[in-house]
Amino acid sequence: MANQNLTTWRSLNLALHDAFSEDPRLLIMGEDITTWGTGGGIYGVTRKLASSFGRSRVRDTPISEEVILAAGVGAAMTGTPTIVEIMYSDFTLLGLDALINQAAKARYMFGGQFKVPLVVRTNGGSGIGKAAQHSQSLETLFAHIPGLEVAVPATPDDAYGLLRSAIASPNPTIFLEHKDLYFDKGPVSGAAIPFGVARIARPGQHVTLVATQRALRWCHEAANELSAQGIEAEIVDPRTLHPLDFEAVRRSIQKTRNLVVVHEAVQDFGWGAEIIARAATECWQHLDNAPARLGAARTPVPYSAALEAAIVPQVHEIVETVQRMRAINIDAELTARN
């Protein structure tokens, strides 16, 4: 399979079918993954897995995330490569003991005697009116925990490639899909994408924008507006938050000398602060301005579409932030000349 044009949910579905075909040990479990709607969970990602590989490997579970996650961790710890689907990332909070105190620490606590080949597939983010308990962006929470890998695919190709790598990993991986990107369409190469390798989503020379998932849309829109003004933004998509490819960010900063981080998660204590802290401590000599970050307001996600859109960073805010940086740069250049 190469260079198919697929939606994100179909690319994920293809990755699962390919992985199940290659490894007869692979198991997936979750709520209604064989029965809902098209027979593939609420977004279709597990469609036709049960009919292709049997219900002993594709298992519907009771509505109990604590039990689902604990069972998934236990299966992985006994050597069975296991995928767990949790309908919404908000619901993973019910099973954090299994993830944080067991899966993330097992290899360390037992001297590496066994692996934990677990993938927790779930989705996060706002944008489609799922309200406060179904729309959170929790990637920073998981990225903070030693022992967990965190993937945040933004394109159909990344969804396929990163999921294949997550399934092959010996470590527990939180695989965060975005509910507003499932129907985005694009080319899928069919190749695994290694963790810890960022993607340059748009080359540029005047400012570095770092973003993931839906925030990449806003950055692309802002970059188009800025380009019309003669400002070329480079967009860096980390693709995984742990491992994090900070070297790609560093190389971009060395070229553009300006940094703005944009994410959908609440701005306070978000992963953008980690990027900026590392930029300030490791790349200060390459920066012409203090880095800036744009994140969501510190509030639960509203149900109202208008309010839901208003709490996340706006395209005009990205544009204005970059314009202010460029104005400072120009003023500094004029002062130096005089």
Side-chain angles (χ1 to χ4, degrees):
M1 191 284 293
N3 296 321
Q4 294 191 52
N5 205 41
L6 301 174
T7 58
T8 296
W9 79 263
R10 285 192 179 277
S11 70
L12 291 164
N13 180 255
L14 179 62
L16 290 174
H17 276 268
D18 288 350
F20 267 76
S21 296
E22 294 171 9
D23 189 347
R25 302 171 301 157
L26 189 57
L27 168 72
I28 188 169
M29 63 178 78
E31 297 166 0
D32 297 327
I33 63 173
T34 72
T35 58
W36 188 291
T38 59
I42 56 173
Y43 294 106
V45 175
T46 55
R47 187 175 184 179
K48 295 185 178 180
L49 277 181
S51 60
S52 299
F53 302 102
R55 290 179 181 268
S56 64
R57 298 178 64 195
V58 184
R59 301 188 179 187
D60 286 318
T61 65
I63 302 174
S64 175
E65 283 76 15
E66 183 176 7
V67 170
I68 298 166
L69 287 165
V73 172
M77 289 172 70
T78 59
T80 301
T82 302
I83 304 168
V84 167
E85 176 176 300
I86 301 296
M87 278 191 180
Y88 295 99
S89 62
D90 316 66
F91 302 165
T92 60
L93 301 179
L94 296 164
L96 286 187
D97 178 69
L99 289 177
I100 294 176
N101 287 330
Q102 307 303 327
K105 296 175 174 59
R107 293 185 72 183
Y108 171 80
M109 293 179 65
F110 294 97
Q113 295 180 71
F114 54 83
K115 302 172 183 177
V116 188
L118 174 73
V119 180
V120 178
R121 277 193 48 254
T122 187
N123 68 80
S126 60
I128 63 172
K130 292 292 185 177
Q133 295 177 331
H134 297 71
S135 303
Q136 296 175 85
S137 297
L138 299 175
E139 55 268 28
T140 299
L141 185 155
F142 296 114
H144 182 73
I145 304 301
L148 295 181
E149 297 176 332
V150 182
V152 282
T155 67
D157 192 50
D158 285 353
Y160 179 95
L162 291 173
L163 184 54
R164 293 304 306 271
S165 291
I167 294 169
S169 173
N171 302 310
T173 301
I174 309 301
F175 195 87
L176 286 164
E177 299 149 18
H178 196 292
K179 62 177 64 67
D180 195 35
L181 302 182
Y182 279 122
F183 297 97
D184 283 11
K185 199 168 188 176
V188 177
S189 67
I193 294 173
F195 282 13
V197 179
R199 175 176 69 97
I200 303 302
R202 176 179 178 136
Q205 58 182 337
H206 297 128
V207 63
T208 297
L209 304 179
V210 180
T212 62
Q213 298 191 316
R214 195 160 74 109
L216 284 166
R217 287 183 184 170
W218 310 327
C219 287
H220 278 291
E221 291 178 32
N224 288 337
E225 290 189 28
L226 291 165
S227 181
Q229 303 168 22
I231 303 172
E232 298 300 333
E234 179 153 288
I235 303 176
V236 180
D237 175 8
R239 300 202 284 200
T240 57
L241 295 182
H242 186 79
L244 175 67
D245 183 7
F246 186 75
E247 285 307 308
V249 178
R250 186 198 310 274
R251 289 192 296 270
S252 184
I253 290 172
Q254 289 172 343
K255 177 169 60 172
T256 69
R257 305 190 67 82
N258 295 283
L259 172 65
V260 180
V261 184
V262 185
H263 57 63
E264 187 176 352
V266 172
Q267 177 169 297
D268 296 359
F269 306 99
W271 61 263
E274 172 65 18
I275 297 284
I276 287 178
R278 292 190 63 175
T281 56
E282 300 177 28
C283 308
W284 189 253
Q285 70 274 27
H286 301 298
L287 287 164
D288 289 339
N289 292 283
R293 60 179 169 147
L294 296 170
R298 191 180 180 89
T299 179
V301 179
Y303 172 71
S304 158
L307 292 176
E308 183 184 37
I311 69 162
V312 296
Q314 306 296 301
V315 172
H316 72 83
E317 293 178 301
I318 303 171
V319 170
E320 290 165 3
T321 299
V322 173
Q323 288 173 332
R324 284 194 296 272
M325 284 186 172
R326 290 293 292 168
I328 293 171
N329 290 352
I330 292 170
D331 287 345
E333 290 173 8
L334 291 174
T335 300
R337 290 174 188 173
N338 294 331

